[in-house]
Amino acid sequence: MKDTPGWASPGSAPSDGQEPGASGPAEPADRSDSAQQPGTDPQEPGSKWSKEQPPPAQWSAPTGPQAPGEAPPPPPPGPGWGAPPPASPGGYGGGQQGYGPPGGYGAWGSGWGGPPPAAKPGVIPLRPLGVGEILDGAVSTMRTYWRTVLGISLTVAVVTQILVILLQGFVLNDLAGTEALNDPSATVSELARATRDALISSTLVFLISVIGAIVATALLTTVTSRAVLGKSVTTGEAWRDARPQVLRLFGLLFLLLLMTFGLVTVGALPGILVAASGSGEGGAALAVLGVLGAGIVALWLWFRFSLASPALMLEKQGILKSLSRSAKLVRGSWWRVFGIQLLATIIANIVAAIVVIPFTFLGGAVSGEGATSFVEGTTDFGWTFLIISGIGSVIGSMITFPISAGVTVLLYIDQRIRREALDLELARAAGVQGYGADTGGS
C-alpha cells in the first residue's frame, strides 16, 4: 500500500530484520479481507507490524499534519456548553446540526444581539433616559392620568391667576403706564419711572407664577413618581402625600429666591455706590456689569439646585439636605440639566402661547380700545381684559405645569438611575420579576 503523509497506516514501514514484501502463512477464511492480506497480523512471523503494538481497540486518532485541502476534524465540545444548537436555514452545515448564520449562534442568536430590553412598567423604561424619553414621559403622564394631572393643574392655575388678576387690578393699575417707553419725546425721568414700574409689575407676576409652579410641582411629583411604576394616584392621595412637605417646600422656594435676588443686589451694589459718589455714567456701566455677572452666578446656582424640590418631596428630606442632594445629582451634568429644562420650558411656553395669545387679543378687543391699541401698549388693564386674558392664562398653565413638573421629576429620577442604580429599586417596587438578576443593573 502506498503511504499517505500524515494518515499512513501504523507499521507500514518495514520492521527491523524483515524484507519488504515478506509474507506469512495464509489466514483462515473467516478473517476480513483486510486481515487476509499478507503482513497484516502482528502476531505472525514475518509480519510488517511492529512487535510492540498496543492491544486492539486502543488506537488513537492520528495527530500528524493533515493532507493539503483536507478540513480538520471538529474539536470536541468543551465542558458546560452542551450540544451545539441546530443550524437555522441557510446556516453553516448545509441544514445539518451545527452553527447558525453569522451574527448569532443558531438559537442563541437573540442572546448576542445586545442587552435585553429594559423593563417599562410605567411611562419610562427603567434605564438611563434620553432627552426625548424624558419629554415623552412627561407628556405620557399627562395623557394617561389626565384626570388627576389636569385637576391639580387647574386648581393651582385658577388660584394663581386669581391672585395675579387682583394684584393687577388693585395695585399695578395705579402705577404709571408704559406709554412713556413708546414715546420718543419722553424725558429721562419718565423713561426711568416707566421702566421701574414695568420691572415691578413683571417681578410680582413672576413671583406668583413661580410659587404656583412650585406648588404644582410638589403635587404632581407624587403623580409622576407613581406613573413611573405604572400606578395611578388620586388628587386626594397626592395632597396627603405632599402636605407634610409643603411648608418646607415654601421655605426652599424662599431660600432660592433670596439667594437669587441677593446675588443680583450684591452685583449691582458697587455700581450704585459709584453712581452715588458723582460718577453717573461710570456707576451705571459698573452696575450693569455687576448685574450681568451676578445673574450668571445666580443662574448657575438655580439650576444646580433645580432638583431640590423633587428630592425634598420624594426623599422626605429637609431644606438643606435637599439642596445638597440636588447639588450632588447635578454635579458633572449641569449643562445637560440646564439644556433639558430650558428645552422643556421653551416647548411648554410655545404651546401655552398658542392658547394665551388669542385670549389676550380677545380681551383687548372686548375691553373697548381694540386689539391694535393693546399691541401699541396703550390698553388699560380693565377688569374685562384681565378676566378674559386670565382665562387664557389658566388654560395655558394647565399645559405648562404638568410638562415642567414632569420633566423636573423625571430628570431627578434619571440622574438617580445614572448615579445610584435607582432602576433596580423601581423595578422591585413595580413588581418586575427577576429584573437585575441576569444583568448588572445600570
Side-chain angles (χ1 to χ4, degrees):
M1 180 178 66
K2 184 178 180 181
D3 293 340
T4 302
W7 289 97
S9 301
S12 58
S15 59
D16 295 339
Q18 300 291 335
E19 296 293 335
S23 61
E27 294 293 321
D30 59 349
R31 302 289 293 273
S32 62
D33 294 339
S34 61
Q36 291 176 3
Q37 299 299 325
T40 58
D41 190 350
Q43 303 298 331
E44 296 179 1
S47 171
K48 292 183 180 181
W49 298 90
S50 172
K51 296 180 180 181
E52 299 179 357
Q53 295 294 326
Q58 295 187 12
W59 296 89
S60 60
T63 58
Q66 286 78 22
E70 189 169 359
W81 289 89
S88 58
Y92 301 133
Q96 303 297 326
Q97 185 173 359
Y99 295 110
Y105 292 98
W108 304 340
S110 59
W112 291 86
K120 189 179 180 181
V123 294
I124 59 169
L126 301 183
R127 56 170 172 76
L129 304 175
V131 178
E133 291 172 326
I134 293 177
L135 297 175
D136 179 72
V139 176
S140 298
T141 301
M142 182 172 59
R143 184 176 63 248
T144 305
Y145 307 99
W146 63 270
R147 286 187 176 88
T148 303
V149 171
L150 295 184
I152 294 174
S153 301
L154 177 62
T155 302
V156 176
V158 168
V159 174
T160 302
Q161 198 58 40
I162 288 176
L163 294 176
V164 170
I165 291 175
L166 293 177
L167 180 67
Q168 290 178 332
F170 289 107
V171 179
L172 300 183
N173 273 347
D174 294 336
L175 299 177
T178 59
E179 291 86 354
L181 297 176
N182 300 322
D183 187 6
S185 61
T187 63
V188 176
S189 60
E190 291 176 344
L191 291 175
R193 183 180 178 184
T195 303
R196 183 200 63 186
D197 294 342
L199 289 176
I200 292 176
S201 302
S202 301
T203 302
L204 292 176
V205 173
F206 172 76
L207 288 178
I208 295 177
S209 301
V210 169
I211 292 174
I214 292 296
V215 173
T217 300
L219 296 176
L220 293 173
T221 295
T222 301
V223 180
T224 307
S225 63
R226 297 284 184 90
V228 171
L229 304 178
K231 300 178 181 180
S232 60
V233 60
T234 63
T235 305
E237 291 173 343
W239 169 247
R240 285 193 296 270
D241 185 78
R243 184 174 55 187
Q245 299 294 101
V246 170
L247 291 180
R248 292 181 178 178
L249 186 64
F250 276 101
L252 174 65
L253 170 64
F254 175 77
L255 185 60
L256 290 176
L257 293 177
L258 181 63
M259 174 192 67
T260 302
F261 287 102
L263 285 173
V264 174
T265 302
V266 171
L269 186 59
I272 295 175
L273 295 177
V274 172
S277 64
S279 178
E281 296 181 357
L286 184 60
V288 170
L289 292 177
V291 169
L292 289 177
I296 293 175
V297 176
L299 182 69
W300 180 79
L301 290 175
W302 181 272
F303 283 96
R304 182 177 177 85
F305 298 134
S306 61
L307 302 183
S309 174
L312 183 143
M313 298 303 301
L314 295 178
E315 300 181 22
K316 310 300 181 184
Q317 300 286 352
I319 297 176
L320 297 180
K321 182 64 176 178
S322 300
L323 293 173
S324 175
R325 286 286 291 148
S326 177
K328 178 180 178 182
L329 293 174
V330 176
R331 184 182 299 119
S333 303
W334 188 92
W335 284 106
R336 182 174 183 270
V337 173
F338 167 76
I340 292 176
Q341 291 194 343
L342 179 62
L343 177 62
T345 302
I346 292 175
I347 293 175
N349 282 283
I350 289 176
V351 175
I354 296 175
V355 178
V356 172
I357 290 177
F359 280 89
T360 303
F361 277 95
L362 179 62
V366 174
S367 63
E369 297 186 15
T372 304
S373 60
F374 171 75
V375 173
E376 294 175 353
T378 60
T379 300
D380 186 19
F381 284 159
W383 289 105
T384 303
F385 171 80
L386 292 176
I387 293 174
I388 294 177
S389 61
I391 294 174
S393 299
V394 168
I395 298 175
S397 298
M398 292 176 61
I399 300 173
T400 57
F401 283 163
I403 294 179
S404 300
V407 168
T408 302
V409 175
L410 293 179
L411 190 57
Y412 161 81
I413 293 176
D414 173 63
Q415 289 299 111
R416 287 199 61 185
I417 288 176
R418 294 173 181 270
R419 296 178 182 271
E420 302 172 0
L422 182 65
D423 54 332
L424 301 180
E425 298 182 16
L426 294 176
R428 286 193 291 268
V432 179
Q433 299 295 329
Y435 183 81
D438 53 348
T439 64
S442 297

